[in-house]
Short mmCIF file of all heavy atoms in Angstrom, two decimals:
data_model
loop_
_atom_site.label_atom_id
_atom_site.label_comp_id
_atom_site.label_asym_id
_atom_site.label_seq_id
_atom_site.Cartn_x
_atom_site.Cartn_y
_atom_site.Cartn_z
N ALA A 240 13.15 32.24 -29.01
CA ALA A 240 13.57 32.15 -27.61
C ALA A 240 12.37 32.18 -26.67
O ALA A 240 12.31 31.43 -25.68
CB ALA A 240 14.54 33.29 -27.29
N GLY A 241 11.40 33.05 -26.97
CA GLY A 241 10.19 33.11 -26.14
C GLY A 241 9.41 31.81 -26.18
O GLY A 241 8.87 31.36 -25.16
N TYR A 242 9.33 31.21 -27.36
CA TYR A 242 8.62 29.94 -27.48
C TYR A 242 9.30 28.85 -26.65
O TYR A 242 8.64 28.09 -25.94
CB TYR A 242 8.56 29.53 -28.95
CG TYR A 242 7.96 28.16 -29.17
CD1 TYR A 242 6.58 27.96 -29.14
CD2 TYR A 242 8.79 27.06 -29.39
CE1 TYR A 242 6.05 26.70 -29.31
CE2 TYR A 242 8.26 25.80 -29.57
CZ TYR A 242 6.89 25.61 -29.53
OH TYR A 242 6.36 24.37 -29.71
N GLN A 243 10.64 28.79 -26.75
CA GLN A 243 11.37 27.79 -25.98
C GLN A 243 11.20 28.02 -24.49
O GLN A 243 10.96 27.07 -23.71
CB GLN A 243 12.86 27.81 -26.36
CG GLN A 243 13.15 27.43 -27.80
CD GLN A 243 12.76 26.00 -28.11
OE1 GLN A 243 12.78 25.15 -27.21
NE2 GLN A 243 12.44 25.70 -29.36
N ASP A 244 11.31 29.29 -24.06
CA ASP A 244 11.14 29.58 -22.63
C ASP A 244 9.73 29.26 -22.17
O ASP A 244 9.51 28.69 -21.09
CB ASP A 244 11.45 31.06 -22.36
CG ASP A 244 12.93 31.38 -22.59
OD1 ASP A 244 13.73 30.42 -22.62
OD2 ASP A 244 13.26 32.58 -22.76
N GLY A 245 8.74 29.63 -22.96
CA GLY A 245 7.36 29.33 -22.59
C GLY A 245 7.07 27.85 -22.55
O GLY A 245 6.36 27.37 -21.66
N TYR A 246 7.64 27.11 -23.50
CA TYR A 246 7.44 25.65 -23.51
C TYR A 246 8.06 25.01 -22.27
O TYR A 246 7.45 24.15 -21.63
CB TYR A 246 8.05 25.08 -24.78
CG TYR A 246 7.84 23.59 -24.95
CD1 TYR A 246 6.60 23.08 -25.33
CD2 TYR A 246 8.87 22.70 -24.72
CE1 TYR A 246 6.40 21.72 -25.48
CE2 TYR A 246 8.69 21.34 -24.87
CZ TYR A 246 7.45 20.85 -25.25
OH TYR A 246 7.26 19.50 -25.39
N ARG A 247 9.27 25.47 -21.93
CA ARG A 247 9.93 24.94 -20.75
C ARG A 247 9.17 25.28 -19.48
O ARG A 247 8.93 24.43 -18.61
CB ARG A 247 11.36 25.47 -20.67
CG ARG A 247 12.16 24.92 -19.49
CD ARG A 247 13.56 25.48 -19.45
NE ARG A 247 13.56 26.93 -19.29
CZ ARG A 247 13.84 27.79 -20.25
NH1 ARG A 247 14.17 27.36 -21.46
NH2 ARG A 247 13.81 29.09 -20.04
N ASP A 248 8.74 26.54 -19.37
CA ASP A 248 7.97 26.93 -18.19
C ASP A 248 6.64 26.19 -18.12
O ASP A 248 6.16 25.85 -17.03
CB ASP A 248 7.72 28.44 -18.22
CG ASP A 248 9.02 29.23 -18.10
OD1 ASP A 248 10.03 28.64 -17.65
OD2 ASP A 248 9.02 30.43 -18.45
N GLY A 249 6.04 25.94 -19.29
CA GLY A 249 4.78 25.19 -19.30
C GLY A 249 4.96 23.77 -18.81
O GLY A 249 4.13 23.24 -18.07
N LEU A 250 6.07 23.12 -19.21
CA LEU A 250 6.34 21.77 -18.72
C LEU A 250 6.56 21.75 -17.22
O LEU A 250 6.07 20.85 -16.52
CB LEU A 250 7.57 21.20 -19.43
CG LEU A 250 7.42 20.87 -20.92
CD1 LEU A 250 8.72 20.34 -21.48
CD2 LEU A 250 6.30 19.85 -21.15
N VAL A 251 7.29 22.74 -16.71
CA VAL A 251 7.52 22.82 -15.26
C VAL A 251 6.20 23.02 -14.52
O VAL A 251 5.92 22.38 -13.50
CB VAL A 251 8.51 23.95 -14.95
CG1 VAL A 251 8.63 24.15 -13.44
CG2 VAL A 251 9.88 23.64 -15.55
N ALA A 252 5.36 23.94 -15.05
CA ALA A 252 4.06 24.18 -14.41
C ALA A 252 3.17 22.95 -14.47
O ALA A 252 2.46 22.62 -13.51
CB ALA A 252 3.38 25.37 -15.09
N LEU A 253 3.20 22.22 -15.60
CA LEU A 253 2.39 21.00 -15.73
C LEU A 253 2.85 19.94 -14.74
O LEU A 253 2.02 19.27 -14.11
CB LEU A 253 2.49 20.48 -17.15
CG LEU A 253 1.71 19.18 -17.45
CD1 LEU A 253 0.22 19.38 -17.19
CD2 LEU A 253 1.95 18.73 -18.88
N ASP A 254 4.16 19.78 -14.59
CA ASP A 254 4.67 18.79 -13.64
C ASP A 254 4.28 19.17 -12.21
O ASP A 254 3.89 18.29 -11.41
CB ASP A 254 6.19 18.70 -13.77
CG ASP A 254 6.78 17.60 -12.90
OD1 ASP A 254 6.48 16.43 -13.16
OD2 ASP A 254 7.53 17.93 -11.97
N GLY A 255 4.37 20.46 -11.89
CA GLY A 255 3.94 20.90 -10.56
C GLY A 255 2.46 20.67 -10.32
O GLY A 255 2.04 20.26 -9.23
N PHE A 256 1.65 20.90 -11.36
CA PHE A 256 0.21 20.67 -11.22
C PHE A 256 -0.08 19.19 -11.03
O PHE A 256 -0.94 18.80 -10.22
CB PHE A 256 -0.50 21.18 -12.47
CG PHE A 256 -1.97 20.83 -12.51
CD1 PHE A 256 -2.87 21.52 -11.72
CD2 PHE A 256 -2.42 19.80 -13.32
CE1 PHE A 256 -4.22 21.19 -11.74
CE2 PHE A 256 -3.76 19.47 -13.35
CZ PHE A 256 -4.68 20.17 -12.55
N LYS A 257 0.64 18.33 -11.75
CA LYS A 257 0.44 16.89 -11.59
C LYS A 257 0.74 16.46 -10.16
O LYS A 257 -0.03 15.71 -9.54
CB LYS A 257 1.34 16.12 -12.55
CG LYS A 257 0.92 16.19 -14.01
CD LYS A 257 1.87 15.38 -14.87
CE LYS A 257 1.50 15.42 -16.34
NZ LYS A 257 2.45 14.65 -17.17
N GLN A 258 1.86 16.92 -9.63
CA GLN A 258 2.23 16.54 -8.27
C GLN A 258 1.22 17.07 -7.25
O GLN A 258 0.82 16.36 -6.32
CB GLN A 258 3.63 17.05 -7.95
CG GLN A 258 4.73 16.41 -8.80
CD GLN A 258 6.10 16.94 -8.45
OE1 GLN A 258 6.25 17.80 -7.58
NE2 GLN A 258 7.13 16.45 -9.15
N SER A 259 0.80 18.32 -7.43
CA SER A 259 -0.17 18.89 -6.51
C SER A 259 -1.51 18.16 -6.59
O SER A 259 -2.14 17.85 -5.57
CB SER A 259 -0.37 20.38 -6.83
OG SER A 259 -1.39 20.93 -6.02
#
Side-chain angles (χ1 to χ4, degrees):
Y242 174 79
Q243 296 296 332
D244 293 342
Y246 183 75
R247 182 180 61 254
D248 295 342
L250 291 179
V251 173
L253 179 60
D254 185 65
F256 173 76
K257 288 181 180 179
Q258 295 180 359
S259 175

